[in-house]
Amino acid sequence: PHFPYAMACELRGNYKDWGMDFRTIAKSATKYGFLEKQFCLFCKVGDTNYERDQMANPDNYDADQRAIALEHKKGSYFWVDGPYDIFDNFIMTMWINILEQRSILTGCKWRRSWSEAPNGVIPKTGWENDDYIPHAFKIYGRVTKDGEVTVCGQLSNGEGIGFGGIFYFPREVINKEFTFKALTY
């Protein structure tokens, strides 16, 4: 299921503003739920006839879509935190919740050069002075790339970037750049 951005905008009270804080996203998931991909306007962002405000406007979601989202309503959420560095806290949170296959919602200052990372593998260095935009995304697993454990992340930008829409972050990048909060349901 996908996050219906418009429902968080409804909680915030204004769909014209860009971006969203994690607390409002979490509250939206516990009040409205998530919408399955085939019913989600967000998934049409790449369509040239599609405007951002259409996706963000709560009035564009009908009663049927809202009912479908309620089927995926979350009971609660918790912040991802712990005694380790950010990388290990992510790994431990996913491990503790492995049976539920819970993803982590987080974000960082997304470096524009990362979108072109070969095979989606984010380099440890060399991007520090690149332009960035704040971007939220999900962390959902870990894999070994070039002999090192990396954390798997998926953005909302579709499959045309990274490795089919997937990116692999090494410990150094997670610990330095992932300064936004992180949560899971």
Side-chain angles (χ1 to χ4, degrees):
H2 290 261
F3 170 69
Y5 184 77
M7 293 176 188
C9 290
E10 185 168 287
L11 271 181
R12 181 173 60 191
N14 182 356
Y15 74 89
K16 296 272 187 181
D17 288 343
W18 281 69
M20 187 67 63
D21 65 280
F22 286 127
R23 186 179 183 99
T24 303
I25 292 171
K27 285 183 178 183
S28 175
T30 60
K31 182 174 181 174
Y32 300 108
F34 285 87
L35 198 55
E36 294 175 40
K37 184 176 181 177
Q38 66 265 31
F39 302 111
C40 189
L41 293 174
F42 188 79
C43 299
K44 297 178 183 175
V45 168
D47 185 342
T48 57
N49 298 317
Y50 181 77
E51 294 293 326
R52 180 256 176 214
D53 284 355
Q54 287 178 283
M55 177 272 299
N57 187 344
D59 294 338
N60 290 333
Y61 290 84
D62 62 27
D64 290 339
Q65 289 168 306
R66 289 171 181 266
I68 291 166
L70 280 174
E71 294 174 16
H72 303 289
K73 181 178 165 182
K74 302 302 176 189
S76 64
Y77 64 91
F78 62 91
W79 298 108
V80 174
D81 201 358
Y84 310 110
D85 64 14
I86 299 168
F87 185 88
D88 284 338
N89 287 336
F90 284 2
I91 299 286
M92 293 307 298
T93 297
M94 288 185 289
W95 177 253
I96 290 168
N97 298 291
I98 196 166
L99 295 178
E100 294 88 9
Q101 296 181 344
R102 292 185 186 154
S103 296
I104 295 170
L105 174 63
T106 190
C108 71
K109 294 176 180 175
W110 183 262
R111 305 299 175 149
R112 294 187 191 277
S113 64
W114 292 353
S115 297
E116 304 297 323
N119 296 314
V121 179
I122 305 300
K124 293 178 185 179
T125 61
W127 41 258
E128 292 83 359
N129 295 321
D130 290 356
D131 289 337
Y132 64 83
I133 55 170
H135 204 325
F137 47 94
K138 78 173 188 172
I139 299 294
Y140 69 92
R142 61 173 220 131
V143 297
T144 301
K145 290 285 184 184
D146 300 323
E148 293 195 43
V149 175
T150 63
V151 170
C152 308
Q154 183 175 15
L155 281 69
S156 57
N157 300 62
E159 297 177 356
I161 62 173
F163 185 71
I166 308 301
F167 292 88
Y168 305 97
F169 299 92
R171 175 183 301 273
E172 294 82 358
V173 173
I174 295 284
N175 288 335
K176 181 175 181 176
E177 295 297 306
F178 282 56
T179 57
F180 293 12
K181 292 188 176 199
L183 63 88
T184 192
Y185 298 97

